[in-house]
Amino acid sequence: MSKKYKNNVIIEDNVVLKKRNDRVLELYDYLETRGFENYPKIESSDNNTIKTEYIESKKYHEVIKGVEFIKTVSMLHYKTIFYKDVSKNKYRKIYDKLYNNIEYLKKYYEDMISKIEEEIFMSPSHYLFARNYTAIDSSLKYASSTLKKWFKKVENKSKERVCIIHNNLSLDHFIRGDKNYLISFDNYLVDTPVLDLYKFYKKEGFKLDFNYLLNIYNENLSLLEEERMLLNILISIPPKIIDVENEYMNCINIKNAFNYIYSGMNIVN
């Protein structure tokens, strides 16, 4: 009997053992009724554990894996999509939350660049930040103006398009075996598909050709205009850069932040 441990699960004789999660069991039953079968099949379950089939992942170039991944995500969303009633208050809460975040970052970065510009000799990280500050300013202005347009479009809507979202998407939670599989559904929700796309973008999608992946996604499920606007807003909001005591790490953090910001600018423009 062979046994190994990987990512908090036990793999034993080509079966994956995980702690029982009734929500996931219910989800798998539901996905089956909707014709989505791109998840590991359950071999058996008891009061404590779930045993699912073990899928050996084939090796593919990252680009191919990204394409197959987004195809599978779009199919999950497409096959579980439906409309539900929504209160106008929900859209107002989303608007207020994003507006406050944008205004906070505007002030935060205005203060940051003001202090840096007063320095006689800038550190390498501060010089890097100052050289690229206009990208932050442009992104926040875009996010702010698009947010206002988005709210005007949705403020009187009474229906919202939702679906099953994985809520923890990453290439690590995708297996390309005899077919495509999504795994680790423990955090799934019923919500807008935008949430899945944004969280994946924020985690690692910005490192890929995300525009290309979005085009592939839209072949199965085209985002509505207000959904694409919301995704663009979220993508345009820059991460918060925090100074640390290590100058080398400051340079790395700022470089990574601007890679994220420039990637977002290429997507929304």
Side-chain angles (χ1 to χ4, degrees), residues 66-111:
V67 168
E68 294 301 320
F69 164 82
I70 206 68
K71 284 181 181 178
T72 310
V73 171
S74 65
M75 192 57 65
L76 169 68
H77 294 171
Y78 172 73
K79 290 194 172 184
T80 61
I81 205 86
F82 67 97
Y83 285 83
K84 72 170 187 177
D85 294 335
V86 61
S87 68
K88 294 179 182 179
N89 188 45
K90 178 178 179 179
Y91 290 124
R92 167 55 72 177
K93 285 182 177 178
I94 294 172
Y95 173 84
D96 288 343
K97 182 177 181 179
L98 292 176
Y99 175 83
N100 290 335
N101 189 27
I102 291 168
E103 292 302 308
Y104 167 78
L105 287 172
K106 279 183 182 178
K107 181 66 166 57
Y108 178 82
Y109 282 120
E110 285 170 359
D111 291 345

Side-chain angles (χ1 to χ4, degrees), residues 118-132:
E118 290 175 356
E119 296 174 356
I120 298 175
F121 300 105
M122 291 183 188
S123 65
S125 63
H126 285 179
Y127 179 74
L128 179 62
F129 178 87
R131 283 286 304 271
N132 292 278

Side-chain angles (χ1 to χ4, degrees), residues 163-214:
C163 61
I164 297 293
I165 64 167
H166 184 280
N167 201 33
N168 193 19
L169 286 177
S170 71
L171 293 178
D172 286 340
H173 292 157
F174 173 75
I175 300 175
R176 181 122 161 91
D178 58 317
K179 61 179 181 180
N180 296 335
Y181 294 87
L182 287 175
I183 61 172
S184 300
F185 276 92
D186 302 76
N187 298 315
Y188 85 91
L189 294 172
V190 176
D191 211 320
T192 170
V194 171
L195 191 57
D196 253 355
L197 294 172
Y198 168 61
K199 285 190 173 183
F200 173 66
Y201 173 82
K202 187 176 181 181
K203 187 171 186 177
E204 57 189 331
F206 73 95
K207 302 173 186 176
L208 307 173
D209 188 343
F210 198 72
N211 263 331
Y212 179 59
L213 295 182
L214 277 180

Side-chain angles (χ1 to χ4, degrees), residues 248-260:
Y248 173 77
M249 287 306 304
N250 278 332
C251 289
I252 295 296
N253 291 340
I254 290 173
K255 179 177 179 294
N256 289 340
F258 280 109
N259 285 342
Y260 179 94

